[in-house]
Amino acid sequence: PRVNFVMESVIEKDIVIVGGGIAGLTTSLGLHRLGIESLVLESSDGLRVSGFALTIWENGWKALDAVGVGDILRHQHIQLHGLVTTTLITGKQTSTTSFKDDTRKHGPHEVRCVRRKLLLEAFANELPSGTIRYMSRVVAIQESGFSKILHLADGTTIKTKVINIM
């Protein structure tokens, strides 16, 4: 008779982030830049990209600069200088918007269309090895005093603290 062994392990981490998407990786990278270690749990076997691209405006670029990937992404994506809207019926232009507003005291708007895959890769490449744990599907969360215990599909148990900041 065959005996199936399930490898169980218990991990203790102060900060666990469930989900390796844009929000999870940005949070982890921001904490890393502050010298705070975290663990990102991602259920898939690699970075999972939904959609092709997104448009990032000035405040988004400020956030990307704050976590240290703004310049990396600027070199990979061209700046947009305006927007033209046309009607599908006649194909005629209905409106235009320029991002080169000379009346602004800080210069033109910074707007770029960024490929989601390259955005996620920029975050992941800046994180320390082992920060993202792939194939880590959370199947249950249990409360234990001031801690939460995460149970993963592979039998791993992760104990993490819960801190309320008011």
Side-chain angles (χ1 to χ4, degrees):
R2 285 185 116 172
V3 177
N4 290 327
F5 291 97
V6 176
M7 186 175 161
E8 284 193 33
S9 62
V10 178
I11 300 170
E12 288 200 29
K13 286 287 182 182
D14 287 340
I15 299 174
V16 177
I17 299 166
V18 179
I22 293 171
L25 294 181
T26 305
T27 301
S28 182
L29 186 54
L31 291 168
H32 171 66
R33 297 290 190 223
L34 295 171
I36 301 168
E37 183 181 321
S38 65
L39 175 66
V40 178
L41 302 177
E42 172 54 48
S43 61
S44 67
D45 62 353
L47 296 175
R48 193 169 28 162
V49 179
S50 60
F52 180 75
L54 65 139
T55 303
I56 299 180
W57 290 67
E58 286 175 79
N59 286 342
W61 286 104
K62 288 176 184 176
L64 293 172
D65 287 336
V67 295
V69 297
D71 285 338
I72 294 166
L73 292 166
R74 278 184 186 91
H75 292 296
Q76 297 172 326
H77 301 89
I78 61 169
Q79 185 164 348
L80 304 178
H81 299 289
L83 179 68
V84 176
T85 306
T86 59
T87 174
L88 291 175
I89 297 169
T90 64
K92 290 188 178 184
Q93 181 177 315
T94 59
S95 68
T96 62
T97 304
S98 174
F99 300 147
K100 295 180 179 183
D101 185 354
D102 294 332
T103 62
R104 298 182 71 239
K105 63 180 176 180
H106 298 295
H109 292 283
E110 181 175 11
V111 182
R112 296 170 195 267
C113 189
V114 175
R115 289 183 50 204
R116 289 176 184 260
K117 181 178 188 279
L118 295 178
L119 178 62
L120 290 174
E121 287 173 353
F123 292 138
N125 291 339
E126 294 296 311
L127 287 168
S129 179
T131 300
I132 306 170
R133 182 180 166 143
Y134 296 103
M135 300 299 293
S136 295
R137 188 170 58 91
V138 176
V139 294
I141 301 174
Q142 175 185 357
E143 289 192 42
S144 177
F146 292 107
S147 297
K148 296 279 186 195
I149 299 173
L150 305 171
H151 298 278
L152 306 185
D154 68 359
T156 302
T157 301
I158 301 174
K159 184 176 182 180
T160 186
K161 298 174 188 172
V162 177
I163 301 171
N164 274 337
I165 300 174
M166 298 180 124

